[in-house]
Amino acid sequence: MRRKRTLARTLMTLTLSLTLIAGCSAGENAGSGNNASAGNNAGAGEASARSKTSLTYASAKDINDMNPHLYTGSMPAQGIVYESLVENTKEGIKPLLAESWDISADGKTYTFHLRQGVTFHDGEPFNAEAVKANFEAVLANGEKHAWIKLSTKIASVEAKDEYTVVLTLTDTYYPALVELSMTRPFVFISPKDFKEGGTKDGVNGFHGTGPYKLTKHEPEQHAVFEANESYWGGAPTIKTITSKVLPAGETTFLALQKGEVDFVFTDDRGADSIDIGAMNQLVESGDYQLVRSEPMNTKMIVANTSKEGNPAAETAVREAIWHAIDREAISEAIFAGTEKPADRLFSENVNYADVELSKREYDLERAKTLLDEAGWTLGAGDPVRKKNGAELAMKLYYDSNSSSQKTQAEFIQSTLSELGAKLELIGEESSSIASRRASGDYDLLFNQTWGLAYDPQSTITAFTTASSYLHATSGIEQAEELYQKIDEVMVSTDGEARKALYADIMRIVHDEAVFIPLTNGSVTVVAPAELKGIAFKQTQFELPFERMGY
Amino acid sequence: MAPYIARRLLLTVPLLIVVSFVTFLLIRLSPMDPAEVVLQAQETPQITEELLAQTREELGMNDPFLLQYANWLMSCFRLDFGESYVSGQPVWSLIGPAFANTLSLTLISSVFIIVLSTLLGVVSALREGSLADKSTRGLSFFLTAIPSYGLASVLIWLLAVKLDWLPTSGMDSAASFVLPVAVIAVNYVGIYFRTVRSSVLSNKNEEYVLYARASGLSERAVTMRILRNSLQVAVAIFGMSIPIILGSTVVIENVFAWPGLGRLSVKAILSRDFPIIQAYVLIVAVAFVVINTVSDIVNAAINPKLRSERA
């Protein structure tokens, strides 16, 4: 009897004290963030002392299929394993696997002189034959790559000798080198990895020429990349990079505090895995630094100009919405100053975008006047403006996984309701938004431009493709003129003419207010405080890990 | 006993067929063109008409509906659930390991849930009205009320970050099990311990107890009898908790980055990876049916009365 009672008591005490501990620490955690980080200095410090040559980054997505000629793999991971012929830098196109190239006078023939002595991770030589085989593998799956116009313009690829490749185009196409520099699909995998002579039905291995080799992959858990010691550009200082699958938010934050992961960056949908408050807390602890790239893209609301019954198909309504958005407030209150207000589709640091455009200020009175003049009038006592009996009501679609889009949508909704415009907010997953964009079943939706390496040429090409912005652009008056200019600009060989064409294109969509800009997004990196050489590429989709070191 | 088991097993067959058909039908009822879904899931930047037609042909979507269902069902028997729209890998190669990871988490948690709730339930029932009983009941209210997400965050912060005893997340070693199991167990023990307690209490007032006492049996022997009769409840808990935990680990798996079925299925739903969703629903439904059947059979074995009533 007595023994039983003792046992019972011990059990109760144990459970009770555990709960008390949990309860107390919960209070402490909520009460002061500083306490939490003070306790963690030890954890993260130890982790970095243990190995000064590795990085572990958290990612919400698995690296997935690393086949570089398809689109399901993680771009940052593909970016360190595979390389392209040329590289897109701030100073323009630079050599990568091609040391130099000649372009024929008619702009149709590109002769690439390959870097010699480069091998794939499996030891296979990188030569003209390998380049030809990879191009052919990509072109064998042409439909998948239709978005990259170059893939539709290649007439032939020839291996002239061991290190010379001749690429012949059907038309002159000025962005050819830019498109060859992209993370996919024109990058190179060892021909030994090909399945049935190609890559479109999968590959047997993932051997590129890049600074890192994929050495281990536990799906949905982690992937390990080891430095390529015989990398032609010199062995990287960071010897091991681990990509760890962690859900965004609290879990990633706690893992960073403990030092289990020590690196996070903005993902390819523009979402950060931890919020601004958490980033600041990590930086305050002294273990981490926060590095932000220059603006990479423009976040915006896209209006469907071709949908019948959509009030935003009218220029005046789109302009009124533009004037009704307080971008300063969005930048300060929603992004804590980390994203700057954007007043144009392509900011001035984008190629060809240094164009004079009229600025539409935040001006509610102007917005009201525009609506009144367009015939959208507010009846006495009515909350919503009407025109010919139809209400000024629109649906705005946002990505339900992005907390900032939802907040912005609510903010814009409240301003517009003051003007007498009704905005219905609908959150959906990103693939569903993409599907609406393609089918034209939307009034307004959130989107972002594709980033420095892709702007303006790829985003502008997307104005004409059904799956992207065709529905957004086809309803405007000068649509035909716009498309003609887009066709012209892609084949123009004269720099000045191209500049003028781009200016016209940008002016048309700006004047028509098709793409209503919100903020400029950048890539954010949270890294160990002592890590040096943190830099960015010209895309929001990958990072140059090989240049980093302690 | 044998006819009872046979009948129970036979009953599950039509149930499973209905479940599989409804699963298949629901997916087809989705307003989206599966070919378009596949291409979007593969993040194909531009979807053309030719590409859509080609994909429809590859997926066999030009076949009549019932033929598609029959084909799908037959391949399911071979554990061939098709290929993921997103990654192109066989569904079973994705869902198999995830299922195993979730199942191991579920089984280990269930063992803790059963041991703890039986122990606490019995102790507080035998000491009914004591301080121990009252504080356990009070505590269980409190613990059950804490959302598992919050509890998990607090435990990770305390035990993994601050004290550095355990990993925060992932499934790298045996230590990785400690926190998720603890969180799951805490959530369910609070509920099930009451079930055990009230079962012991009601047994305590049964006439056979009075009779045993009157016959002069020792108090220990009486208690043993009560416990044996209360055991059924524990079996029922086991039967109930496994499928419930199996189907509701999403939150836990998300917090602890556990590479399990919950996370896989949520991801599949978000990216409309239909083959994975289909397989997931089917597997969970089968698990429900199988575990329920097993626990019914075990209960029938313990209690002949049940057997005759149900048969």
Side-chain angles (χ1 to χ4, degrees), chain A residues 506-524:
Chain A
M506 288 175 194
R507 215 165 276 133
I508 292 174
V509 293
H510 183 85
D511 290 347
E512 285 288 343
V514 178
F515 303 98
I516 301 164
L518 298 168
T519 58
N520 287 124
S522 49
V523 176
T524 309

mmCIF file with all atom_site columns, all heavy atoms in Angstrom, chain A residues 506-524:
data_model
loop_
_atom_site.group_PDB
_atom_site.id
_atom_site.type_symbol
_atom_site.label_atom_id
_atom_site.label_alt_id
_atom_site.label_comp_id
_atom_site.label_asym_id
_atom_site.label_entity_id
_atom_site.label_seq_id
_atom_site.pdbx_PDB_ins_code
_atom_site.Cartn_x
_atom_site.Cartn_y
_atom_site.Cartn_z
_atom_site.occupancy
_atom_site.B_iso_or_equiv
_atom_site.pdbx_formal_charge
_atom_site.auth_seq_id
_atom_site.auth_comp_id
_atom_site.auth_asym_id
_atom_site.auth_atom_id
_atom_site.pdbx_PDB_model_num
ATOM 1   N N   . MET A 1 506 ? 7.639  50.141 -72.560 1.00 0.00 ? 506 MET A N   1
ATOM 2   C CA  . MET A 1 506 ? 7.460  50.455 -71.143 1.00 0.00 ? 506 MET A CA  1
ATOM 3   C C   . MET A 1 506 ? 6.488  51.607 -70.970 1.00 0.00 ? 506 MET A C   1
ATOM 4   O O   . MET A 1 506 ? 5.697  51.627 -70.024 1.00 0.00 ? 506 MET A O   1
ATOM 5   C CB  . MET A 1 506 ? 8.803  50.775 -70.502 1.00 0.00 ? 506 MET A CB  1
ATOM 6   C CG  . MET A 1 506 ? 9.665  49.535 -70.345 1.00 0.00 ? 506 MET A CG  1
ATOM 7   S SD  . MET A 1 506 ? 11.285 49.943 -69.722 1.00 0.00 ? 506 MET A SD  1
ATOM 8   C CE  . MET A 1 506 ? 12.154 48.414 -70.051 1.00 0.00 ? 506 MET A CE  1
ATOM 9   N N   . ARG A 1 507 ? 6.542  52.567 -71.888 1.00 0.00 ? 507 ARG A N   1
ATOM 10  C CA  . ARG A 1 507 ? 5.644  53.715 -71.790 1.00 0.00 ? 507 ARG A CA  1
ATOM 11  C C   . ARG A 1 507 ? 4.186  53.266 -71.998 1.00 0.00 ? 507 ARG A C   1
ATOM 12  O O   . ARG A 1 507 ? 3.294  53.715 -71.285 1.00 0.00 ? 507 ARG A O   1
ATOM 13  C CB  . ARG A 1 507 ? 6.048  54.771 -72.810 1.00 0.00 ? 507 ARG A CB  1
ATOM 14  C CG  . ARG A 1 507 ? 5.833  56.177 -72.314 1.00 0.00 ? 507 ARG A CG  1
ATOM 15  C CD  . ARG A 1 507 ? 6.561  57.188 -73.178 1.00 0.00 ? 507 ARG A CD  1
ATOM 16  N NE  . ARG A 1 507 ? 7.949  57.373 -72.818 1.00 0.00 ? 507 ARG A NE  1
ATOM 17  C CZ  . ARG A 1 507 ? 8.974  57.396 -73.691 1.00 0.00 ? 507 ARG A CZ  1
ATOM 18  N NH1 . ARG A 1 507 ? 8.756  57.181 -74.977 1.00 0.00 ? 507 ARG A NH1 1
ATOM 19  N NH2 . ARG A 1 507 ? 10.193 57.598 -73.257 1.00 0.00 ? 507 ARG A NH2 1
ATOM 20  N N   . ILE A 1 508 ? 3.980  52.393 -72.957 1.00 0.00 ? 508 ILE A N   1
ATOM 21  C CA  . ILE A 1 508 ? 2.598  51.959 -73.236 1.00 0.00 ? 508 ILE A CA  1
ATOM 22  C C   . ILE A 1 508 ? 1.991  51.290 -71.993 1.00 0.00 ? 508 ILE A C   1
ATOM 23  O O   . ILE A 1 508 ? 0.914  51.665 -71.535 1.00 0.00 ? 508 ILE A O   1
ATOM 24  C CB  . ILE A 1 508 ? 2.547  50.993 -74.441 1.00 0.00 ? 508 ILE A CB  1
ATOM 25  C CG1 . ILE A 1 508 ? 2.908  51.736 -75.737 1.00 0.00 ? 508 ILE A CG1 1
ATOM 26  C CG2 . ILE A 1 508 ? 1.157  50.369 -74.574 1.00 0.00 ? 508 ILE A CG2 1
ATOM 27  C CD1 . ILE A 1 508 ? 3.030  50.841 -76.952 1.00 0.00 ? 508 ILE A CD1 1
ATOM 28  N N   . VAL A 1 509 ? 2.686  50.292 -71.432 1.00 0.00 ? 509 VAL A N   1
ATOM 29  C CA  . VAL A 1 509 ? 2.074  49.600 -70.291 1.00 0.00 ? 509 VAL A CA  1
ATOM 30  C C   . VAL A 1 509 ? 2.006  50.498 -69.060 1.00 0.00 ? 509 VAL A C   1
ATOM 31  O O   . VAL A 1 509 ? 1.115  50.360 -68.233 1.00 0.00 ? 509 VAL A O   1
ATOM 32  C CB  . VAL A 1 509 ? 2.768  48.254 -69.938 1.00 0.00 ? 509 VAL A CB  1
ATOM 33  C CG1 . VAL A 1 509 ? 2.557  47.238 -71.026 1.00 0.00 ? 509 VAL A CG1 1
ATOM 34  C CG2 . VAL A 1 509 ? 4.229  48.449 -69.642 1.00 0.00 ? 509 VAL A CG2 1
ATOM 35  N N   . HIS A 1 510 ? 2.922  51.466 -68.991 1.00 0.00 ? 510 HIS A N   1
ATOM 36  C CA  . HIS A 1 510 ? 2.866  52.398 -67.854 1.00 0.00 ? 510 HIS A CA  1
ATOM 37  C C   . HIS A 1 510 ? 1.663  53.333 -68.004 1.00 0.00 ? 510 HIS A C   1
ATOM 38  O O   . HIS A 1 510 ? 0.889  53.517 -67.073 1.00 0.00 ? 510 HIS A O   1
ATOM 39  C CB  . HIS A 1 510 ? 4.152  53.208 -67.764 1.00 0.00 ? 510 HIS A CB  1
ATOM 40  C CG  . HIS A 1 510 ? 4.189  54.133 -66.578 1.00 0.00 ? 510 HIS A CG  1
ATOM 41  N ND1 . HIS A 1 510 ? 4.605  53.717 -65.331 1.00 0.00 ? 510 HIS A ND1 1
ATOM 42  C CD2 . HIS A 1 510 ? 3.829  55.437 -66.436 1.00 0.00 ? 510 HIS A CD2 1
ATOM 43  C CE1 . HIS A 1 510 ? 4.515  54.728 -64.474 1.00 0.00 ? 510 HIS A CE1 1
ATOM 44  N NE2 . HIS A 1 510 ? 4.040  55.787 -65.124 1.00 0.00 ? 510 HIS A NE2 1
ATOM 45  N N   . ASP A 1 511 ? 1.512  53.909 -69.175 1.00 0.00 ? 511 ASP A N   1
ATOM 46  C CA  . ASP A 1 511 ? 0.399  54.843 -69.378 1.00 0.00 ? 511 ASP A CA  1
ATOM 47  C C   . ASP A 1 511 ? -0.937 54.142 -69.210 1.00 0.00 ? 511 ASP A C   1
ATOM 48  O O   . ASP A 1 511 ? -1.909 54.734 -68.744 1.00 0.00 ? 511 ASP A O   1
ATOM 49  C CB  . ASP A 1 511 ? 0.490  55.488 -70.768 1.00 0.00 ? 511 ASP A CB  1
ATOM 50  C CG  . ASP A 1 511 ? 1.663  56.455 -70.852 1.00 0.00 ? 511 ASP A CG  1
ATOM 51  O OD1 . ASP A 1 511 ? 2.207  56.792 -69.774 1.00 0.00 ? 511 ASP A OD1 1
ATOM 52  O OD2 . ASP A 1 511 ? 2.059  56.857 -71.964 1.00 0.00 ? 511 ASP A OD2 1
ATOM 53  N N   . GLU A 1 512 ? -0.987 52.888 -69.608 1.00 0.00 ? 512 GLU A N   1
ATOM 54  C CA  . GLU A 1 512 ? -2.234 52.135 -69.496 1.00 0.00 ? 512 GLU A CA  1
ATOM 55  C C   . GLU A 1 512 ? -2.437 51.572 -68.082 1.00 0.00 ? 512 GLU A C   1
ATOM 56  O O   . GLU A 1 512 ? -3.460 50.966 -67.791 1.00 0.00 ? 512 GLU A O   1
ATOM 57  C CB  . GLU A 1 512 ? -2.253 50.993 -70.507 1.00 0.00 ? 512 GLU A CB  1
ATOM 58  C CG  . GLU A 1 512 ? -2.515 51.458 -71.948 1.00 0.00 ? 512 GLU A CG  1
ATOM 59  C CD  . GLU A 1 512 ? -3.961 51.895 -72.143 1.00 0.00 ? 512 GLU A CD  1
ATOM 60  O OE1 . GLU A 1 512 ? -4.813 51.551 -71.310 1.00 0.00 ? 512 GLU A OE1 1
ATOM 61  O OE2 . GLU A 1 512 ? -4.232 52.595 -73.142 1.00 0.00 ? 512 GLU A OE2 1
ATOM 62  N N   . ALA A 1 513 ? -1.421 51.700 -67.239 1.00 0.00 ? 513 ALA A N   1
ATOM 63  C CA  . ALA A 1 513 ? -1.485 51.227 -65.852 1.00 0.00 ? 513 ALA A CA  1
ATOM 64  C C   . ALA A 1 513 ? -1.904 49.760 -65.752 1.00 0.00 ? 513 ALA A C   1
ATOM 65  O O   . ALA A 1 513 ? -2.716 49.376 -64.904 1.00 0.00 ? 513 ALA A O   1
ATOM 66  C CB  . ALA A 1 513 ? -2.428 52.103 -65.027 1.00 0.00 ? 513 ALA A CB  1
ATOM 67  N N   . VAL A 1 514 ? -1.328 48.932 -66.627 1.00 0.00 ? 514 VAL A N   1
ATOM 68  C CA  . VAL A 1 514 ? -1.677 47.510 -66.626 1.00 0.00 ? 514 VAL A CA  1
ATOM 69  C C   . VAL A 1 514 ? -1.076 46.804 -65.402 1.00 0.00 ? 514 VAL A C   1
ATOM 70  O O   . VAL A 1 514 ? -1.725 46.004 -64.743 1.00 0.00 ? 514 VAL A O   1
ATOM 71  C CB  . VAL A 1 514 ? -1.150 46.823 -67.909 1.00 0.00 ? 514 VAL A CB  1
ATOM 72  C CG1 . VAL A 1 514 ? -1.469 45.342 -67.878 1.00 0.00 ? 514 VAL A CG1 1
ATOM 73  C CG2 . VAL A 1 514 ? -1.743 47.486 -69.136 1.00 0.00 ? 514 VAL A CG2 1
ATOM 74  N N   . PHE A 1 515 ? 0.184  47.136 -65.129 1.00 0.00 ? 515 PHE A N   1
ATOM 75  C CA  . PHE A 1 515 ? 0.871  46.519 -63.996 1.00 0.00 ? 515 PHE A CA  1
ATOM 76  C C   . PHE A 1 515 ? 1.027  47.581 -62.918 1.00 0.00 ? 515 PHE A C   1
ATOM 77  O O   . PHE A 1 515 ? 1.775  48.540 -63.089 1.00 0.00 ? 515 PHE A O   1
ATOM 78  C CB  . PHE A 1 515 ? 2.241  45.994 -64.437 1.00 0.00 ? 515 PHE A CB  1
ATOM 79  C CG  . PHE A 1 515 ? 2.147  45.010 -65.565 1.00 0.00 ? 515 PHE A CG  1
ATOM 80  C CD1 . PHE A 1 515 ? 2.357  45.422 -66.878 1.00 0.00 ? 515 PHE A CD1 1
ATOM 81  C CD2 . PHE A 1 515 ? 1.816  43.687 -65.328 1.00 0.00 ? 515 PHE A CD2 1
ATOM 82  C CE1 . PHE A 1 515 ? 2.261  44.519 -67.927 1.00 0.00 ? 515 PHE A CE1 1
ATOM 83  C CE2 . PHE A 1 515 ? 1.710  42.777 -66.370 1.00 0.00 ? 515 PHE A CE2 1
ATOM 84  C CZ  . PHE A 1 515 ? 1.928  43.192 -67.676 1.00 0.00 ? 515 PHE A CZ  1
ATOM 85  N N   . ILE A 1 516 ? 0.289  47.404 -61.825 1.00 0.00 ? 516 ILE A N   1
ATOM 86  C CA  . ILE A 1 516 ? 0.288  48.417 -60.775 1.00 0.00 ? 516 ILE A CA  1
ATOM 87  C C   . ILE A 1 516 ? 1.362  48.058 -59.753 1.00 0.00 ? 516 ILE A C   1
ATOM 88  O O   . ILE A 1 516 ? 1.215  47.093 -58.996 1.00 0.00 ? 516 ILE A O   1
ATOM 89  C CB  . ILE A 1 516 ? -1.107 48.503 -60.123 1.00 0.00 ? 516 ILE A CB  1
ATOM 90  C CG1 . ILE A 1 516 ? -2.134 48.847 -61.208 1.00 0.00 ? 516 ILE A CG1 1
ATOM 91  C CG2 . ILE A 1 516 ? -1.115 49.522 -58.998 1.00 0.00 ? 516 ILE A CG2 1
ATOM 92  C CD1 . ILE A 1 516 ? -3.573 48.595 -60.802 1.00 0.00 ? 516 ILE A CD1 1
ATOM 93  N N   . PRO A 1 517 ? 2.482  48.776 -59.735 1.00 0.00 ? 517 PRO A N   1
ATOM 94  C CA  . PRO A 1 517 ? 3.609  48.382 -58.882 1.00 0.00 ? 517 PRO A CA  1
ATOM 95  C C   . PRO A 1 517 ? 3.319  48.643 -57.405 1.00 0.00 ? 517 PRO A C   1
ATOM 96  O O   . PRO A 1 517 ? 2.568  49.559 -57.059 1.00 0.00 ? 517 PRO A O   1
ATOM 97  C CB  . PRO A 1 517 ? 4.744  49.281 -59.378 1.00 0.00 ? 517 PRO A CB  1
ATOM 98  C CG  . PRO A 1 517 ? 4.070  50.475 -59.947 1.00 0.00 ? 517 PRO A CG  1
ATOM 99  C CD  . PRO A 1 517 ? 2.749  50.010 -60.484 1.00 0.00 ? 517 PRO A CD  1
ATOM 100 N N   . LEU A 1 518 ? 3.940  47.849 -56.554 1.00 0.00 ? 518 LEU A N   1
ATOM 101 C CA  . LEU A 1 518 ? 3.777  48.023 -55.109 1.00 0.00 ? 518 LEU A CA  1
ATOM 102 C C   . LEU A 1 518 ? 5.126  48.318 -54.461 1.00 0.00 ? 518 LEU A C   1
ATOM 103 O O   . LEU A 1 518 ? 5.366  49.421 -54.014 1.00 0.00 ? 518 LEU A O   1
ATOM 104 C CB  . LEU A 1 518 ? 3.151  46.765 -54.496 1.00 0.00 ? 518 LEU A CB  1
ATOM 105 C CG  . LEU A 1 518 ? 1.750  46.421 -55.008 1.00 0.00 ? 518 LEU A CG  1
ATOM 106 C CD1 . LEU A 1 518 ? 1.352  45.018 -54.581 1.00 0.00 ? 518 LEU A CD1 1
ATOM 107 C CD2 . LEU A 1 518 ? 0.728  47.434 -54.511 1.00 0.00 ? 518 LEU A CD2 1
ATOM 108 N N   . THR A 1 519 ? 5.998  47.308 -54.443 1.00 0.00 ? 519 THR A N   1
ATOM 109 C CA  . THR A 1 519 ? 7.312  47.507 -53.827 1.00 0.00 ? 519 THR A CA  1
ATOM 110 C C   . THR A 1 519 ? 8.368  46.804 -54.663 1.00 0.00 ? 519 THR A C   1
ATOM 111 O O   . THR A 1 519 ? 8.049  45.963 -55.500 1.00 0.00 ? 519 THR A O   1
ATOM 112 C CB  . THR A 1 519 ? 7.375  46.895 -52.409 1.00 0.00 ? 519 THR A CB  1
ATOM 113 O OG1 . THR A 1 519 ? 7.061  45.498 -52.509 1.00 0.00 ? 519 THR A OG1 1
ATOM 114 C CG2 . THR A 1 519 ? 6.423  47.569 -51.449 1.00 0.00 ? 519 THR A CG2 1
ATOM 115 N N   . ASN A 1 520 ? 9.643  47.136 -54.393 1.00 0.00 ? 520 ASN A N   1
ATOM 116 C CA  . ASN A 1 520 ? 10.741 46.409 -55.018 1.00 0.00 ? 520 ASN A CA  1
ATOM 117 C C   . ASN A 1 520 ? 11.225 45.353 -54.046 1.00 0.00 ? 520 ASN A C   1
ATOM 118 O O   . ASN A 1 520 ? 11.579 45.665 -52.912 1.00 0.00 ? 520 ASN A O   1
ATOM 119 C CB  . ASN A 1 520 ? 11.891 47.353 -55.366 1.00 0.00 ? 520 ASN A CB  1
ATOM 120 C CG  . ASN A 1 520 ? 11.538 48.238 -56.555 1.00 0.00 ? 520 ASN A CG  1
ATOM 121 O OD1 . ASN A 1 520 ? 11.585 49.444 -56.482 1.00 0.00 ? 520 ASN A OD1 1
ATOM 122 N ND2 . ASN A 1 520 ? 11.153 47.611 -57.651 1.00 0.00 ? 520 ASN A ND2 1
ATOM 123 N N   . GLY A 1 521 ? 11.232 44.119 -54.485 1.00 0.00 ? 521 GLY A N   1
ATOM 124 C CA  . GLY A 1 521 ? 11.666 43.034 -53.623 1.00 0.00 ? 521 GLY A CA  1
ATOM 125 C C   . GLY A 1 521 ? 13.149 42.756 -53.811 1.00 0.00 ? 521 GLY A C   1
ATOM 126 O O   . GLY A 1 521 ? 13.691 42.944 -54.885 1.00 0.00 ? 521 GLY A O   1
ATOM 127 N N   . SER A 1 522 ? 13.808 42.313 -52.734 1.00 0.00 ? 522 SER A N   1
ATOM 128 C CA  . SER A 1 522 ? 15.216 41.940 -52.862 1.00 0.00 ? 522 SER A CA  1
ATOM 129 C C   . SER A 1 522 ? 15.424 40.582 -52.211 1.00 0.00 ? 522 SER A C   1
ATOM 130 O O   . SER A 1 522 ? 14.536 40.062 -51.550 1.00 0.00 ? 522 SER A O   1
ATOM 131 C CB  . SER A 1 522 ? 16.102 42.991 -52.197 1.00 0.00 ? 522 SER A CB  1
ATOM 132 O OG  . SER A 1 522 ? 15.627 43.289 -50.916 1.00 0.00 ? 522 SER A OG  1
ATOM 133 N N   . VAL A 1 523 ? 16.609 40.020 -52.425 1.00 0.00 ? 523 VAL A N   1
ATOM 134 C CA  . VAL A 1 523 ? 16.928 38.745 -51.791 1.00 0.00 ? 523 VAL A CA  1
ATOM 135 C C   . VAL A 1 523 ? 17.562 39.032 -50.441 1.00 0.00 ? 523 VAL A C   1
ATOM 136 O O   . VAL A 1 523 ? 18.430 39.888 -50.328 1.00 0.00 ? 523 VAL A O   1
ATOM 137 C CB  . VAL A 1 523 ? 17.892 37.928 -52.668 1.00 0.00 ? 523 VAL A CB  1
ATOM 138 C CG1 . VAL A 1 523 ? 18.302 36.643 -51.955 1.00 0.00 ? 523 VAL A CG1 1
ATOM 139 C CG2 . VAL A 1 523 ? 17.253 37.615 -54.003 1.00 0.00 ? 523 VAL A CG2 1
ATOM 140 N N   . THR A 1 524 ? 17.093 38.332 -49.418 1.00 0.00 ? 524 THR A N   1
ATOM 141 C CA  . THR A 1 524 ? 17.610 38.527 -48.069 1.00 0.00 ? 524 THR A CA  1
ATOM 142 C C   . THR A 1 524 ? 18.379 37.280 -47.642 1.00 0.00 ? 524 THR A C   1
ATOM 143 O O   . THR A 1 524 ? 17.903 36.176 -47.859 1.00 0.00 ? 524 THR A O   1
ATOM 144 C CB  . THR A 1 524 ? 16.435 38.717 -47.092 1.00 0.00 ? 524 THR A CB  1
ATOM 145 O OG1 . THR A 1 524 ? 15.593 39.720 -47.622 1.00 0.00 ? 524 THR A OG1 1
ATOM 146 C CG2 . THR A 1 524 ? 16.911 39.125 -45.739 1.00 0.00 ? 524 THR A CG2 1
#
